[in-house]
Amino acid sequence: MRKIESQMIAAIHNNQNWSNSNTTVHFNEEENISIVRLHGNKIAEIDDWTMTIFDGGWQTTTTKSRLNALCSEFCIDGERVFQNNFQWYVDKFVGMAGQSKVFNTYDFTNGFIFA
């Protein structure tokens, strides 16, 4: 994980506003939600129970990296955003099969919710 992504995650955990280079976190006290922006474009909303993701209009390597850093911290291990043949997808945990986690793969859509 990149240093900027570690700082971003720390700001979210601490309910703080934070900015570094192209990434910002704004904590909305009234709604108890952290909003993450990349180049001014919203890419995630995180509250106590869910994380909602967006591409901010740009499906770039950096956007995907920020989203996966957030998934790594706030989602079930293995949930992620990935790309195949220039198309973005999301792996979401759906249950257990014995000792193995089971994931469904969905087309990436803005407003996808991890709960």
Side-chain angles (χ1 to χ4, degrees):
M1 183 181 307
R2 298 174 181 171
K3 181 178 179 182
I4 194 168
E5 292 167 348
S6 295
Q7 294 170 339
M8 170 186 72
I9 289 167
I12 295 166
H13 277 300
N14 294 321
N15 296 331
Q16 296 177 322
N17 292 329
W18 170 86
S19 178
N20 187 348
S21 185
N22 57 14
T23 306
T24 62
V25 174
H26 171 74
F27 179 68
N28 181 322
E29 292 181 36
E30 292 175 6
E31 296 182 27
N32 197 34
I33 192 169
S34 292
I35 300 166
V36 180
R37 296 184 185 276
L38 179 62
H39 294 292
N41 301 300
K42 180 168 62 173
I43 62 167
E45 295 179 347
I46 300 105
D47 63 26
D48 289 338
W49 306 106
T50 64
M51 181 172 78
T52 306
I53 60 173
F54 309 87
D55 65 11
W58 303 93
Q59 292 191 351
T60 66
T61 303
T62 303
T63 304
K64 194 168 28 150
S65 179
R66 297 291 188 276
L67 292 175
N68 280 321
L70 292 167
C71 284
S72 167
E73 186 68 21
F74 298 105
C75 297
I76 294 171
D77 187 37
E79 292 184 322
R80 67 188 179 125
V81 176
F82 68 99
Q83 181 177 330
N84 187 20
N85 293 326
F86 305 103
Q87 179 70 33
W88 274 26
Y89 298 95
V90 176
D91 275 345
K92 183 174 172 103
F93 176 77
V94 293
M96 297 293 290
Q99 298 292 325
S100 300
K101 292 180 181 175
V102 178
F103 297 89
N104 279 352
T105 299
Y106 301 93
D107 289 342
F108 178 92
T109 56
N110 281 307
F112 190 92
I113 299 173
F114 291 100

